[in-house]
Amino acid sequence: MTVPDDTTVRREIVVDASIDRAFAAFVERFGDFKPPEHNLLGAPITETRFEPKVGGHIYDRAADGSECRWARVLAYEPPHRVVFSWDISPRWQLEADESNASEVEVRFVAETADRTRLELEHRHLDRHGPDWEALRGAVDSEGGWPLYLTRYSELVAGGL
């Protein structure tokens, strides 16, 4: 059991899908549920990719060809767990210093053969330095992780 603290945001949802399907939907279809308005680029996003390997990235590609690599894959353990960095500062700019990045761990727990609980933990938010509390508030707000998870749940419910 983890001890609650202000530097961590936790959310969970349950989807009607096997653990394998739930994990695959999260990784392979990340760009289908990531809000396109969450954009650090100067042009509209045309795709978001999640590279399924340790050392891979999560990145957005814009209509003008520019890319924004805003996360690094730190752990990749299908179908149970994935961990990635959050390389976005409280000013909604890329964070160049990796020691200032927070981490997002997503665990997939089979409740039954066709029902999976997704547990998301966005931790070490204080690593972002001054104004980290604003970042915490943003990712914990309805426009943050709850929006991602709602869209993910809808994607899974739609049968992929």
Side-chain angles (χ1 to χ4, degrees), residues 9-56:
V9 169
R10 290 179 182 83
R11 295 289 178 150
E12 69 177 49
I13 59 166
V14 175
V15 294
D16 291 326
S18 69
I19 191 171
D20 291 318
R21 187 167 154 253
F23 184 91
F26 190 87
V27 173
E28 295 169 12
R29 304 284 303 273
F30 193 88
D32 292 338
F33 63 86
K34 178 188 175 277
E37 62 272 19
H38 292 187
N39 183 359
L40 300 180
L41 295 163
I45 294 173
T46 57
E47 73 174 328
T48 297
R49 291 281 188 190
F50 190 120
E51 296 175 328
K53 62 183 180 182
V54 172

Side-chain angles (χ1 to χ4, degrees), residues 81-100:
R81 175 178 176 258
V82 64
V83 181
F84 54 90
S85 64
W86 183 268
D87 299 336
I88 303 170
S89 79
R91 290 161 300 289
W92 300 106
Q93 299 171 341
L94 280 181
E95 177 56 68
D97 185 347
E98 292 179 4
S99 68
N100 291 340

